[in-house]
């Protein structure tokens, strides 16, 4: 599996400290691919808008409307 980026949102403070320690053991390439966001939600949306904001559900400020009931009924009809 090839990982292009890992985005971590609202990680606990202890996780940020542990990540600093673990990142010394990881390679530079992988460490650069891990992004942590702990700011206010509006600031996070601004920073991510250039990436995939339209792919986020409406609950998170994106444009995708999720209909779980419809998805479940479609899976049942298909026999999955």
């Amino acid at each position: 599996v090839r990982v292009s980026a890992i985005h971590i949102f609202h990680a606990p403070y202890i996780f940020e400290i542990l990540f600093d320690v673990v990142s010394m053991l990881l390679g530079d390439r992988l460490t650069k691919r891990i992004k942590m966001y702990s700011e206010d939600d509006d600031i996070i949306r601004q920073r991510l808008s250039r990436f995939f904001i339209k792919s986020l559900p409406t609950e998170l400020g994106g444009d995708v409307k999720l209909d779980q009931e419809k998805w479940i009924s479609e899976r049942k009809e298909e026999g999955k």
Side-chain angles (χ1 to χ4, degrees):
V1 175
R2 180 176 229 166
V3 176
S4 62
I6 298 172
H7 297 270
I8 302 171
F9 302 96
H10 302 296
Y13 182 69
I14 188 72
F15 183 80
E16 292 181 27
I17 294 171
L18 290 174
F19 176 72
D20 290 339
V21 173
V22 172
S23 65
M24 290 185 251
L25 303 173
L26 301 174
D28 284 339
R29 288 178 62 194
L30 184 57
T31 303
K32 289 178 184 177
R33 293 178 182 181
I34 299 173
K35 311 288 185 213
M36 290 213 296
Y37 306 96
S38 57
E39 299 98 351
D40 189 29
D41 286 346
D42 293 331
I43 296 171
I44 292 173
R45 284 188 196 107
Q46 279 181 327
R47 291 179 70 187
L48 294 178
S49 65
R50 61 184 177 171
F51 295 111
F52 57 86
I53 193 72
K54 294 191 184 292
S55 300
L56 290 174
T58 54
E59 293 87 2
L60 299 175
D63 294 335
V64 177
K65 181 167 180 357
L66 299 177
D67 187 355
Q68 293 177 337
E69 297 297 325
K70 179 182 174 187
W71 184 84
I72 291 171
S73 66
E74 288 174 354
R75 300 287 82 69
K76 287 180 180 178
E77 289 174 9
E78 293 176 3
K80 292 185 177 180

